[in-house]
Amino acid sequence: MDSGLLRAIFREITIKQPFERIPEPALVMEEQQSVASYADSAAQGQALSGTHLYHCAQMCALIKPGDVVLDIGCGPAALLLQVARLNPRAEFIGMDLSQNMLEVAREACHQQGIDNVQLIEDDMTRLSMIADRSVDVVISSMALHHLENLGQLEGTFRNISRVLRNDRAIYLNDFGRLKSIESVDYFVQRASDGADADTLLDYRNSLLAAFSLEEFQTLAASYLGPCAKVYSTAFSPLMMVIRTPKRRCVKVMKPEFRRRYSALPASRQADVNQLRLFLRLGGLASAF
Ligand SMILES: C[S@@+](CC[C@H](N)C(=O)[O-])C[C@H]1O[C@@H](n2cnc3c(N)ncnc32)[C@H](O)[C@@H]1O
């Protein structure tokens, strides 16, 4: 373990309160340059590909054939399309408020010949296009920190609860707020291998805008039901996951997850390994 990580862990354990949240400069990612840069970082082998593989496997453990799955804040849909390809008998709705993100997502869907994904423009705080109790699984990745304030997070959780059927399944991952901005800068510098300047700035803004673990815990307990547990990476809440229990065994998909893992560059494999280790220490077992 490097000394920078030890110092960050020490700060995270000893400082009592997280720093004050700084909302994202662009809540909805509409600007062409940032959409293109984000879509590039989500492409195969790029900065987000290890993280996406880890969460893809976790999401698959919740999805059964015939399910309707809603992805809130799907962005360019790189993760959504991975999950949809592995679950061809489920129907997916990808939702985002950015027209430019949805345009990139539609193009990717078309190019990959995926026919079980519908993409819609909607606001996650309202889910106005989604009927009550019409969805089996709600998934979301790295999108909640784009909300302006805690009231919007509350509205999002209330609406997730409204649209889910009784046998509710939820997998939401996002950043958790750290205790010090020095820790933010440490984790950004740690991610710099292979990432461009825009991606690193976006990452820093995301960590500054993250909600705290306590905020997630309070709202999950109020709205998402007793089966939805909040997990975080051990020692520092860099990554947070809210998950209900698995609904299926993904044993048959494991060779495919391992094949995808082997195809990743070493730095992205390291991302998977760190998520596996620190989330496992935080109580959440890896799906592969
Ligand atoms: C960082 S991207 C995450 C994309 C994707 N889920 C992933 O894991 O790669 C966050 C997305 O949330 C979208 N977003 C922000 N506020 C939103 C809102 N109120 N409703 C729906 N989408 C929103 C942004 O436009 C952006 O595409």
Side-chain angles (χ1 to χ4, degrees):
M1 218 183 260
D2 69 68
S3 61
L5 181 56
L6 285 176
R7 280 199 298 277
I9 288 175
F10 181 76
R11 277 193 300 271
E12 291 302 306
I13 291 173
T14 52
I15 299 174
K16 294 272 176 289
Q17 291 294 325
F19 57 84
E20 199 167 325
R21 178 173 188 260
I22 305 170
E24 282 270 3
L27 298 172
V28 178
M29 294 175 75
E30 197 63 272
E31 205 253 315
Q32 289 279 8
Q33 172 60 28
S34 66
V35 170
S37 163
Y38 191 83
D40 286 349
S41 69
Q44 182 58 24
Q46 302 303 313
L48 291 173
S49 53
T51 309
H52 276 174
L53 177 60
Y54 176 90
H55 295 302
C56 171
Q58 293 281 13
M59 289 169 178
C60 286
L62 294 186
I63 299 169
K64 293 199 222 167
D67 278 350
V68 175
V69 183
L70 173 67
D71 181 0
I72 59 176
C74 67
L79 174 57
L80 170 61
L81 299 193
Q82 279 190 51
V83 180
R85 284 173 83 104
L86 288 163
N87 295 276
R89 290 165 64 203
E91 291 297 321
F92 291 82
I93 304 166
M95 195 266 300
D96 205 286
L97 204 46
S98 159
Q99 291 181 1
N100 286 330
M101 278 291 189
L102 288 170
E103 202 43 52
V104 174
R106 280 195 190 98
E107 181 58 26
C109 227
H110 176 69
Q111 281 194 356
Q112 295 180 37
I114 291 181
D115 60 8
N116 60 336
V117 174
Q118 182 197 351
L119 293 160
I120 60 170
E121 187 183 331
D122 200 356
D123 183 343
M124 69 169 101
T125 66
R126 298 173 193 275
L127 301 182
S128 54
M129 292 172 70
I130 312 290
D132 296 2
R133 298 192 182 176
S134 61
V135 167
D136 301 287
V137 187
V138 173
I139 59 175
S140 180
S141 174
M142 294 185 280
L144 300 172
H145 66 275
H146 278 265
L147 296 172
E148 194 164 7
N149 53 46
L150 202 54
Q152 291 199 346
L153 186 65
E154 181 170 10
T156 302
F157 279 21
R158 188 188 309 113
N159 279 296
I160 289 174
S161 178
R162 173 181 67 75
V163 302
L164 276 166
R165 296 194 173 112
N166 283 342
D167 178 22
R168 52 183 50 203
I170 301 170
Y171 187 89
L172 314 174
N173 71 264
D174 201 7
F175 305 105
R177 187 145 21 106
L178 297 166
K179 302 280 177 49
S180 92
I181 294 191
E182 271 177 289
S183 300
V184 168
D185 288 328
Y186 167 74
F187 283 111
V188 172
Q189 169 268 317
R190 201 179 153 89
S192 59
D193 185 12
D196 61 36
D198 284 350
T199 302
L200 290 176
L201 181 61
D202 185 33
Y203 185 37
R204 187 172 194 276
N205 287 338
S206 302
L207 295 184
L208 296 175
F211 291 101
S212 72
L213 207 52
E214 206 185 337
E215 290 165 340
F216 282 122
Q217 281 160 341
T218 304
L219 292 180
S222 302
Y223 293 101
L224 302 183
C227 294
K229 290 213 165 121
V230 183
Y231 302 90
S232 82
T233 40
F235 312 120
S236 69
L238 182 66
M239 187 59 75
M240 177 290 313
V241 172
I242 300 178
R243 199 202 70 171
T244 52
K246 288 183 188 172
R247 292 164 79 229
R248 68 182 275 207
C249 169
V250 288
K251 209 167 158 191
V252 321
M253 292 183 188
K254 283 189 182 178
E256 178 58 18
F257 295 140
R258 291 202 188 103
R259 189 193 65 71
R260 291 179 187 199
Y261 172 82
S262 303
L264 291 173
S267 52
R268 305 294 66 106
Q269 289 184 352
D271 295 342
V272 178
N273 295 338
Q274 277 160 26
L275 273 176
R276 273 180 176 153
L277 173 66
F278 286 99
L279 278 170
R280 189 183 292 275
L281 290 173
L284 181 65
S286 170
F288 75 104

